[in-house]
Amino acid sequence: IHNGADDNASGTSGVIELARYFAENGVKEANNFLFLCFSGEELGLIGSKRYTEYPTIDLTKVSFMVNMDMIGRLNAEKKIVIGGVGTAPDFVPLFKSITTGLCIKLDSAGVGPSDHTSFYLKNIPVLFFFTGQHSDYHKPSDDEEKINYDGMFRITRYIESLITSLNDDGKLPFTKT
């Protein structure tokens, strides 16, 4: 049995928690949100590529995409990599303005080995949250007892604050990286 507790379940849980938060926060958001989960990433971004080729909405109206892939193993240093910060001019100043106890490593690249790439290739700004590789990657040993639930909670709350900060900005301009 391969549960994929970090590689797939942690990001999926984050998506569900974000959806719950924005549905129940009592705020009429300035923008609409789509909460999507894709399959077939390891086989060539099959799900996200299919969605961006046959979207259910006009992709030219999408402001940005947030991807949470493997956010369940926040380590003792609280290090998280956030990719895609170079894909919109507003991203880096925003990250510098929000205080958090996380050790954040920013990466400007919009292309990477996860579903955000499909959106980047459609000229949509992307953010990619990732707590790092580990020895259980793609192995049956990637199980729930190794998940840092407090860390996932902190990361999800951080993403909520980022989305809230960007909510009134309208469509973000895309920057090729």
Side-chain angles (χ1 to χ4, degrees), residues 4 12-13 24 29 109 139 151 155-156:
T12 301
S13 299
E24 297 176 357
E29 311 296 343
K139 294 181 182 166
I155 291 166
T156 305

Side-chain angles (χ1 to χ4, degrees), residues 78-98 100 102-110 126-130 158 162 177:
K78 298 178 179 68
K79 180 182 174 191
I80 183 161
V81 175
I82 305 172
V85 300
T87 63
D90 293 349
F91 284 158
V92 171
L94 175 63
F95 284 105
K96 294 185 184 287
S97 73
I98 296 177
T100 180
L102 300 171
C103 177
I104 297 170
K105 179 180 183 280
L106 300 179
D107 181 353
S108 64
V126 296
L127 292 172
F128 169 58
F129 292 82
F130 178 68
Y158 183 58
L162 293 168
T177 60

Side-chain angles (χ1 to χ4, degrees), residues 84 86-90 108 110 120 123-125 172-177:
T87 63
D90 293 349
S108 64
Y120 173 82
N123 298 326
I124 296 169
L172 296 176
F174 173 76
T175 304
K176 198 167 203 65
T177 60

Side-chain angles (χ1 to χ4, degrees), residues 1-166:
I1 296 173
H2 184 140
N3 292 319
D6 188 25
D7 187 16
N8 287 353
S10 65
T12 301
S13 299
V15 171
I16 292 168
E17 174 55 20
L18 286 174
R20 185 209 58 78
Y21 171 81
F22 284 108
E24 297 176 357
N25 69 358
V27 174
K28 172 72 171 134
E29 311 296 343
N31 299 302
N32 293 319
F33 301 119
L34 290 178
F35 298 94
L36 305 169
C37 296
F38 304 106
S39 63
E41 180 230 38
E42 285 88 359
L43 300 173
L45 309 178
I46 292 172
S48 60
K49 183 178 178 187
R50 173 74 180 186
Y51 181 80
T52 58
E53 289 174 354
Y54 303 97
T56 59
I57 62 167
D58 180 358
L59 291 182
T60 64
K61 296 183 192 262
V62 174
S63 185
F64 60 96
M65 186 269 199
V66 175
N67 182 16
M68 295 174 284
D69 186 7
M70 294 178 59
I71 61 167
R73 297 278 189 104
L74 192 66
N75 63 20
E77 292 82 36
K78 298 178 179 68
K79 180 182 174 191
I80 183 161
V81 175
I82 305 172
V85 300
T87 63
D90 293 349
F91 284 158
V92 171
L94 175 63
F95 284 105
K96 294 185 184 287
S97 73
I98 296 177
T99 305
T100 180
L102 300 171
C103 177
I104 297 170
K105 179 180 183 280
L106 300 179
D107 181 353
S108 64
V111 173
S114 193
D115 291 310
H116 62 286
T117 297
S118 298
F119 289 80
Y120 173 82
L121 295 174
K122 297 293 185 180
N123 298 326
I124 296 169
V126 296
L127 292 172
F128 169 58
F129 292 82
F130 178 68
T131 55
Q133 288 282 8
H134 47 73
S135 61
D136 300 308
Y137 180 65
H138 285 179
K139 294 181 182 166
S141 54
D142 182 9
D143 234 334
E144 61 89 18
E145 69 272 358
K146 296 177 181 174
I147 295 297
N148 178 345
Y149 294 100
D150 290 333
M152 281 179 57
F153 179 79
R154 291 181 74 176
I155 291 166
T156 305
R157 291 293 171 263
Y158 183 58
I159 295 169
E160 286 168 6
S161 67
L162 293 168
I163 292 171
T164 299
S165 295
L166 292 167

